[in-house]
Amino acid sequence: SNAKMNKFIVLCGGEGSGKSSMIDRLKVKYPTGIVFTREPGGTQYAESIRALMFSADGQVSTAETQFGLAFAARNDHMHKKIIPALNAGHVISDRFDCCTFAYQVCGGEAPQLLDLFWATRDIFVPRKPDLYIFFDVPPAVGLARASTRKTGNNFFDEKKLPFHEAIYAGYKEFLKKVPHKTI
């Protein structure tokens, strides 16, 4: 079937790694045949969850709460957008489950979520990405770039360097278990 032939690709990286700029260029180069999406979000319901995650209350919620919300949004995203889109073409997502691993499990210093992450992923992500493309930019460099942006920053951008270093290490750990390319 087409859904097996079509590729599901995730772009990931820390703040200021160049991911969003690359996606903007890809949208221009491939105006048809590829569905572009993002996480958290991608569907109306998942975008509502995203707004909750980035709200004032979300900023002070626990890693466990953010983990649960991210996977709830992701499951809706999978069933309502990604899986149907793969029947028609390729899908490129700006962030995906790698980010829950990096931000909530590692950045949130919640090692108790490690086994739960992989178990939840097995059930909540019925179609795994074919490839993760990791934008390997050292956290200090990425944060300096992100600080020059006029829009698009969220509370994660305001966190200190050790948090971003934990995220970076989290991406590296996650990538050991999935098909990936580092650029």
Side-chain angles (χ1 to χ4, degrees):
S1 74
N2 277 351
K4 284 197 170 54
M5 305 272 298
N6 291 329
K7 298 295 178 221
F8 176 16
I9 298 168
V10 173
L11 272 54
C12 58
E15 312 303 330
S17 62
K19 214 172 29 56
S20 300
S21 301
M22 177 59 77
I23 285 170
D24 290 342
R25 287 199 290 275
L26 289 169
K27 284 179 179 174
V28 171
K29 189 168 177 165
Y30 302 102
T32 61
I34 297 178
V35 170
F36 291 90
T37 191
R38 72 170 185 177
E39 284 212 350
T43 63
Q44 191 173 344
Y45 188 61
E47 289 289 336
S48 298
I49 295 172
R50 177 191 180 94
L52 194 59
M53 291 175 77
F54 291 137
S55 70
D57 287 333
Q59 291 183 41
V60 293
S61 64
T62 64
E64 290 87 352
T65 297
Q66 291 176 19
F67 177 97
L69 288 171
F71 268 112
R74 181 165 302 124
N75 189 255
D76 190 71
H77 190 202
M78 288 285 336
H79 288 286
K80 289 192 187 139
K81 186 171 191 177
I82 294 172
I83 292 170
L86 284 167
N87 287 315
H90 304 294
V91 173
I92 294 178
S93 185
D94 180 354
R95 302 192 180 279
F96 198 63
D97 56 349
C98 46
C99 301
T100 302
F101 188 89
Y103 281 74
Q104 276 73 47
V105 179
C106 299
E109 295 178 348
Q112 71 276 16
L113 295 175
L114 191 58
D115 292 341
L116 185 62
F117 174 87
W118 295 106
T120 305
R121 181 182 192 258
D122 279 346
I123 296 167
F124 280 57
V125 183
R127 170 68 155 80
K128 308 295 185 276
D130 296 292
L131 182 67
Y132 293 82
I133 299 174
F134 177 59
F135 288 68
D136 191 344
V137 173
V141 175
L143 285 175
R145 284 186 192 166
S147 71
T148 66
R149 286 196 299 236
K150 302 286 183 281
T151 60
N153 287 354
N154 59 57
F155 71 88
F156 287 121
D157 298 299
E158 310 304 321
K159 296 214 182 209
K160 301 293 176 237
L161 187 59
F163 174 79
H164 293 280
E165 286 171 339
I167 288 166
Y168 183 75
Y171 278 125
K172 298 277 195 175
E173 190 60 35
F174 177 86
L175 292 170
K176 291 176 184 173
K177 299 186 185 322
V178 297
H180 70 278
K181 294 239 183 307
T182 298
I183 58 173

